[in-house]
Amino acid sequence: MKPPLGEYYDVNGRKLLLHREGSGAPAVVFIPGAGAVAMDYWDAQRQAAAFTTSVLYDRAGTGWSESIDLPRASSEVTDELRALLHSAKIPGPYVLAGHSLGGLYARHYATRFPDEVAGLVLMEPAHEDYRAYMPRELVERWDAWDPANGLSDELPREILEFYRVLFEQEMAHWPAGLREPLVDSHVSREWLLTGIREAANIQAVHDEIRAAGPLPDVPMIILTAPAIDPFKQAVSAGTSEGLLQAENDGKTRLYNEFAASVPRGENRIVEDAGHVTLPFRRPEAVAQAIRDVLAL
């Protein structure tokens, strides 16, 4: 299926999709989470494009970029992003806006290439110490889940339709030419499997982050979205509301401490949004964080 936006660039023999809007520097580069794709951040991107160059892209093996075996090491992902930005002639330094797994990739890029990063905006970022802040019962539940059994060969139509409705609600005001192919792709088994496969080596990525050393002294804003919305409820079926609230409490403590560990860090609570829905429901909060990082 043809992507609704963007153009392709050749990076190491693979075609990668990139879409840019706006002008000015430093450019902001959105790094999607596992299971997310470039176009999920369209609304936040277009708002950021009002004041600087704003870039979306799909990693190899995800979204509309060329397929590749997953998972991959973070060093491979960050090398690829660097090569893509150079190929697209988007000069650094960059503000990296990473979501979930993309937050780990953003941090790794900053530690590996500190002169190329002007700031970080981390949306509900994955973190190597996340489990240490969680209640034991919740961690045991996660350990008992086998990702290999996460998707059957044929997903029931009612499950696919359930997710379709959730995505359509989040993108209800988006242009149909963007919303419809994006929703169709999100509820395909291929894209659902991609999210699971990409995060399958998360422990190895954590090890890379731990070994990479400290972040450079750049402004960093974390966005914490505590809502227990329908997406969170769907992926947490059978988990009590008390445990979900305990996860939120632990996550907030972690992000507060992480923000305090760097000279110019801040954690912001973004109400009325959850882990998946943050860029859909509160794009203005994402754009404001980018604007504020640029001003620091």
Side-chain angles (χ1 to χ4, degrees), residues 2-16:
K2 182 181 178 181
L5 293 171
E7 57 185 299
Y8 284 102
Y9 293 85
D10 187 277
V11 176
N12 301 323
R14 303 187 190 106
K15 294 188 182 301
L16 302 184

Side-chain angles (χ1 to χ4, degrees), residues 34-35 71 145 147-151 191-201:
W145 184 71
N149 297 325
L151 289 176
W191 275 29
L192 291 168
L193 276 173
T194 293
I196 293 174
R197 288 170 177 156
E198 191 175 30
N201 68 333

Side-chain angles (χ1 to χ4, degrees), residues 121-137:
V121 174
L122 304 179
M123 299 170 272
E124 282 279 304
H127 194 282
E128 62 275 18
D129 295 329
Y130 195 89
R131 291 160 64 97
Y133 285 74
M134 297 296 122
R136 179 181 299 178
E137 181 180 351

Side-chain angles (χ1 to χ4, degrees), residues 71-79 105 108 201 204-205 208:
R72 297 190 294 166
S74 180
S75 57
E76 188 175 354
V77 171
T78 48
D79 281 344
Y105 294 149
H108 201 202
N201 68 333
V205 173
E208 287 186 85

Side-chain angles (χ1 to χ4, degrees), residues 10-294:
D10 187 277
V11 176
N12 301 323
R14 303 187 190 106
K15 294 188 182 301
L16 302 184
L17 181 72
L18 181 144
H19 174 63
R20 80 182 89 188
E21 292 188 26
S23 61
V28 58
V29 180
F30 289 84
I31 307 179
V37 298
M39 300 308 160
D40 292 335
Y41 307 89
W42 168 80
D43 208 350
Q45 185 220 17
R46 71 183 183 91
Q47 293 190 35
F51 53 84
T52 195
T53 302
S54 190
V55 179
L56 302 176
Y57 89 107
D58 283 333
R59 293 183 288 274
T62 73
W64 278 278
S65 283
E66 189 170 329
S67 296
I68 191 175
D69 289 339
L70 298 172
R72 297 190 294 166
S74 180
S75 57
E76 188 175 354
V77 171
T78 48
D79 281 344
E80 175 188 85
L81 174 55
R82 189 179 192 224
L84 173 62
L85 294 171
H86 291 177
S87 177
K89 295 181 171 53
I90 300 169
Y94 314 104
V95 172
L96 301 179
H99 183 203
S100 193
L101 177 62
L104 286 176
Y105 294 149
R107 288 171 53 203
H108 201 202
Y109 193 109
T111 56
R112 296 186 69 207
F113 313 115
D115 294 339
E116 298 179 19
V117 176
L120 295 167
V121 174
L122 304 179
M123 299 170 272
E124 282 279 304
H127 194 282
E128 62 275 18
D129 295 329
Y130 195 89
R131 291 160 64 97
Y133 285 74
M134 297 296 122
R136 179 181 299 178
E137 181 180 351
L138 193 56
V139 173
E140 290 173 350
R141 282 176 173 266
W142 294 339
D143 288 342
W145 184 71
D146 183 359
N149 297 325
L151 289 176
S152 59
D153 290 338
E154 291 294 333
L155 284 174
R157 180 179 297 274
E158 55 268 25
I159 292 179
L160 294 178
E161 287 306 310
F162 172 75
Y163 278 106
R164 177 181 295 277
V165 169
L166 293 185
F167 277 112
E168 287 177 342
Q169 289 173 342
E170 298 303 328
M171 292 182 267
H173 65 288
W174 289 28
L178 174 59
R179 179 185 66 248
E180 291 172 3
L182 186 53
V183 171
D184 286 344
S185 297
H186 264 305
V187 298
S188 70
R189 187 172 186 274
E190 179 184 356
W191 275 29
L192 291 168
L193 276 173
T194 293
I196 293 174
R197 288 170 177 156
E198 191 175 30
N201 68 333
I202 191 64
Q203 296 304 320
V205 173
H206 287 168
D207 290 342
E208 287 186 85
I209 296 296
R210 290 189 176 100
L215 287 168
D217 181 7
V218 296
M220 179 181 78
I221 295 176
I222 302 170
L223 299 179
T224 300
I228 302 173
D229 58 20
F231 273 97
K232 182 64 175 178
Q233 292 169 345
V235 300
S236 305
T239 304
S240 69
E241 186 174 338
L243 270 183
L244 293 178
Q245 187 56 55
E247 180 181 4
N248 269 337
D249 293 343
K251 174 176 68 178
T252 302
R253 289 195 305 273
L254 168 62
Y255 291 166
N256 283 339
E257 292 178 18
F258 181 31
S261 72
V262 299
R264 290 181 281 169
E266 177 187 351
N267 182 30
R268 294 181 180 177
I269 305 298
V270 182
E271 302 292 350
D272 304 320
H275 182 80
V276 171
T277 58
L278 173 57
F280 296 119
R281 295 187 179 184
R282 297 298 307 277
E284 79 288 350
V286 178
Q288 186 62 55
I290 294 166
R291 185 188 291 273
D292 292 344
V293 161
L294 290 171

